[in-house]
Amino acid sequence: EEQTSLAALLLQRGDRRHRSTKQRACLAKGNFIADVAIIFSDLLLRFPFKSVDGVLLPSPIIQSVLATPVISKEQQIPIAFRSIASMLELGPLVQISESLLWFWIHFSTDGAADTGHNAFHATEAANVISLAQRLETPMASALLSFCGSSVNSGLFYLADSDKVGDTEDNEVDCMSNFSSSGDDDDSDRRPAAAPSRKRSFKALAHMVKVFSVVFSKLKDRNACSIFAPVSGSHGPLLPLAVSKTLNNVADFFLDYQITGPSMVWSIAYPKGYRKAGLEIDALLAKACSCLHGFSLLLQSTTKECNLIGGSQDTARTTAIFQPESAKAALSLFRLIKRIYPSNGRRNPPRLALEIVSKSLPDVKGKARDKSVRDFIFSSPIQQNEPDALPHFEQSENIGLNPSLFNFPLWILEEASDSSAAVEQDGIVEEQDFVGIPSEILRSMRVELTRDLARGPMPRMGSNNSIFKNSSSINEDAHEGCHGDERDVLARYELEVWQKVNSIIDYLCLSPGEYKAWFDVAHCLSYKAYYIRDRVVTHEDERIERDFFPWPSVFYRERNSQLCNLQDLEKQHTFQDDEVRRRWLPCIGRDLSVYLRHPWSTVSTLHDCAEEISNIVFNENEDIQEETGFVPENRQLAEIEALTFIDSLEPGEWQNAWGGLYIGALQIMADRCLKVTYYLTKQNENELRTSCNEDHVRAIQLVAEACESMGTALYSELQGSWQYGYPIHRMTQKAKCNLAGEAAAKYKEAHDLVLRSTSGNEDFNATWGLKLMIGKCYEKMANTYRLELFPVDDNNQQYHSSSSARKYEDLLSLAFSSYSESLVAVKRAEEEGLLSEQQKGGCAHGSIEVVYRIHATRLKVLLYAIYQASKNRHCFEAEALHLVSRNWFAEPVTENEEELNWKYDSRDRRWEVLVDIVSALVFCRKEKALFHRSVFRHAQAILWAPVVYSPDVKTYPLFTAPEDAVAQTNTLSNIFRCGIHVHAAKIVMDSLFDKKRAQLCATWMSSRSHRAFEELNTSEKKFDSVRLKYISARIELLRVCRDHVSLETFFSWANACPPDLPSLYFVTALDSAASRQNHFRQNLLEDRGFLRHVKRLCTMAIADVVLYQLRNAKGKEEASDEIQNTVLNGILKRAYSCFLKLNCTVENVKNWLEKTGEESFIELDALLCSFDEVGGKVSESEVLECPGEDLEADDAMNKQAMNKKLALLESALTRCKTMFSRRRNRRKSDEENVDTNTEVHASTESDVSPSKRHKKVERLVED
């Protein structure tokens, strides 16, 4: 009908009843028209027009409405354009086009405004709006399907083979109108029946204009609202029509002059039509957003092309649709490559690549794919030999022998020989896959897998868009992953598996890409690091005992028996064999299970454990059924380990699986690093005869691979923990082997860097490598500390520089590397190659090397002083020989005779110690946040009198503030007289000057440009460093009897967030636990860094209570009233200390039974204080002890424990009654204690209510 009558029908006034009926009839007609338009659009997509030389031939759907008969197959290609007029009546086509245009103009908001019929849309009538919205999208679909039908036929081609465009200046603007007058400039060269090239491309440009005007006006939610009845499974009708048509138009532009495989990702539109091409890509990007749910961000320098593409401010389609055919997938991939070229910096959306990949034929299960995956994911074959470190061949021509680590070398040969590839892999390449040639399909696979493997590495807690919308991550299973710590790590683990799987898909097609192998190793290593930071190790509390010159809470026994080198190495080998016999590096046959299932969530960890258990147990049953034999030792060990792990408590169970995860990930990463080294080495050998720049770059790549391997080996050595099952301390042999292999790789990297610079050393690159070489030698030297010195005729040990121990030889190499590193880093600083580190961390340039040299000197000197007097002279002579070569301030001498000091001269030892302290003070002065030198400075102060006079049996302790030394930055002679504990405390106070979330002034490193910087970025290393500082401070406060500072520090620890191992351990027991309620944890049972810090505080407070109790008992001159007041104050302090443990009497009983201990120091302090104030328990309150089935000693111990528990219950009841009310804190005179006391190395507490644990909880009184 006419527009006016239609508007009048919808808006007419009159009888309400008749008006409603007419309006409903009009709406019904509109719905009918919309349905017809949808069917018409769908039919045109499936049965399009055909075009030959620019001439339209009718579509079957159009022919059905014509009066003329159907054109025969022989008549489809006309002789001349004028013959078409007699064959086809154009009237119906004109009517259809006019009708479609009329509906679009008057039902699109902007179109109606342009025509001036504002009255139709100005009304607020709901019927008008509803009808307009109902018809808008169907009419747009029909209009665009009609306009682009000829392009979709597949028979549209161009007559000319010349260049499409001539110059950049002659750009065809599809947004402007073209004049149809004038002759073409190539009319003389084309056949009479063929249209001109210019007219053909102008027709395509006009078509693009129509699509831009129509499609860009629609919002995404409207464009996605209509589905065709037949092709609806492929997506919304309108975006489907746009995508299909414009992809064909883009192919015509791009393939006009291009042949061969390069057409898969051709990105250059012809000159003169690039602006039109950018508009096509923008419209296709909007269509992809509606169909597939991802956004393609088009970049262009022209403002016009930045604005095209339509509105994308609304939600995407709720469903994600796959391409309707392989050809559509190819077109989609070509669009992606045009917007995100391979040589560009931007990466395409991962979801886009995954959608294309799923539309291609599956190539999994072939020999090469299986070989690559088996190499990475297969478990070690031999028991207790998890990919033993290879012996690298030093031949420059061979490099690393791949047979040493079972690498399938044939896959590299296959990649270079395509004919051999088919024969070796057993692959029958499809000659044609739905019209796509096999060579194009293969090139597309390689490029697609390369793009999937590209992009940044997964990062913890990042919102990287490359993984954010990935379909392979189950969003429902990990809801809230950016809130909870466990879910954040779970997201990261899934991203790692996704990344590794994508890179391996690429390696199956291009196994010679060393960068891809390195990326796999990088992902696996970092996942192992993150899990390691969250696994609780059994002896996190232990630190070096050399900080204190007296036995303390940190004291642990060490083997000090010397033996010759051969026997020592045999002893190390025996210990290593014994440990490995009871150790499994991993469990299971397929290590990919440790990637597919995240460790961080309990549910996925249960899935992993169940899958591995099913495989191991089923394999055991199959072997017994088929052969009748018992499985091998490894299989039995795996079964026993799984059975034992399942019986553990949740926290221990999680911890055990964490060790297995780390062990498996380290094995896989080690394999990939070996392949990286082999491939880069082979590449370097092949490029020796090529140009200098290519060869230099190849050498640098080998150096990077060597440095990465050295860092991976040293990271396993760091902390001295061997992961797998069970987690255990690394043996001396394992330490020495790892350090030796790491030193070899760092040394090779250093030599390669020198080669790449043609002898002109790059100091910025070499100083860090030299520093790491020295650290490796130092680690190796520490494993040979117990080697016997040479023995003379009188069977007396002596030191001789000509027959030095291996310990001394390795330390000499370490000091030599440190010295070379110091020279190199100073040159780099002079040349301005190093940037300043403003915050705390480990990137401090030359200060790092200065500290390392003098901290090592201090450790060597103190280790010698600590030895028994029988052999101390040999250790001192050896130590002085080592530490006298690297002076911070060279001693001034007047003649050469003064250089020949006697080795046992205490003045010589004192001068070395003074020089070390000067260097440590210099480090702190130069870098105000350099915290490591503070710890060593305090250590040197404590050991000063022992270094000067090691044979003295007792040393006075100076713990009172009035005994403080005025100047602690220099080691004056006053420090020779006694142990200045208060001075050391003042030095350490600079790390604890205020309340901090991390408790002390140390920070995690954020930069990792060099190997030693990367090694310090882990949470485990951070916790280890601050635990060392905190333990030292608590011990100093204990010796100074500063219970107020101990109480304050405990409150700091309660207020700070817990460490990650503690958090994971607690939440494995109770899923409701969190960071906020850790202050209620049972300090007797729980694990982790923060628990240990708080337990050290309570033990130190209890020791101070026992000391004060002992002093109060000795003051007989005090009146009874004062005595009772003092004792009540001590009892209150002991009661408060016990309450800090957050344990009940039942918890205490369970702990005593579990550990076999008789008591612990907090319990002793409370019971002793309670006993002094007259507290007692009647025999009737003692718990009954069934002694019938027990031995006499066991029954007696049980009776004693029950009596102690009954006394504890009485003490808690009494104290609760006495101290339940809140009172103001007051300081009493009785709390002041004497500070000038003496300490003996073997002195024990005067109050010994019970035998306390010798290794962990023994506090030695002063």
Side-chain angles (χ1 to χ4, degrees), residues 96-223:
I96 291 174
S97 62
E98 289 181 349
S99 299
L100 294 175
L101 286 173
W102 182 88
F103 275 106
W104 168 253
I105 291 174
H106 294 288
F107 281 98
S108 63
T109 304
D110 296 339
D114 294 339
T115 57
H117 299 284
N118 296 327
F120 185 78
H121 286 280
T123 180
E124 296 180 358
N127 291 333
V128 178
I129 299 174
S130 176
L131 185 60
Q133 293 176 348
R134 180 71 179 88
L135 288 173
E136 183 182 38
T137 303
M139 287 304 161
S141 302
L143 180 62
L144 297 185
S145 299
F146 183 78
C147 293
S149 180
S150 61
V151 182
N152 298 328
S153 65
L155 294 178
F156 188 94
Y157 69 90
L158 303 174
D160 295 314
S161 60
D162 298 336
K163 289 183 179 181
V164 177
D166 299 327
T167 63
E168 289 284 354
D169 298 333
N170 190 22
E171 282 284 342
V172 175
D173 189 355
C174 63
M175 302 299 293
S176 60
N177 293 322
F178 293 97
S179 173
S180 59
S181 61
D183 297 331
D184 298 327
D185 54 359
D186 57 347
S187 57
D188 296 338
R189 296 186 291 106
R190 70 175 187 271
S196 68
R197 175 192 62 203
K198 185 175 182 180
R199 187 171 65 226
S200 299
F201 276 81
K202 280 186 177 182
L204 295 178
H206 276 295
M207 184 185 301
V208 174
K209 174 181 175 59
V210 173
F211 275 71
S212 177
V213 170
V214 174
F215 190 52
S216 62
K217 300 300 181 182
L218 294 176
K219 293 184 177 181
D220 288 353
R221 64 168 176 263
N222 296 334

Side-chain angles (χ1 to χ4, degrees), residues 230-242:
V230 177
S231 60
S233 60
H234 300 303
L237 179 61
L238 179 57
L240 197 63
V242 173

Side-chain angles (χ1 to χ4, degrees), residues 702-775:
V702 182
E704 292 175 6
C706 290
E707 183 177 355
S708 299
M709 293 185 71
T711 304
L713 292 168
Y714 195 90
S715 67
E716 295 183 34
L717 181 63
Q718 197 175 41
S720 301
W721 288 103
Q722 187 76 52
Y723 293 94
Y725 180 79
I727 302 174
H728 61 273
R729 280 285 179 180
M730 196 174 290
T731 62
Q732 298 295 328
K733 180 180 179 181
K735 291 180 184 179
C736 187
N737 289 342
L738 279 173
E741 292 291 346
K745 301 318 295 178
Y746 284 129
K747 183 67 168 59
E748 184 176 359
H750 175 266
D751 295 342
L752 288 168
V753 170
L754 292 180
R755 281 181 53 195
S756 65
T757 56
S758 302
N760 299 323
E761 183 175 356
D762 182 3
F763 299 106
N764 191 31
T766 57
W767 75 268
L769 293 172
K770 292 177 179 178
L771 178 62
M772 290 306 301
I773 293 171
K775 294 180 71 172

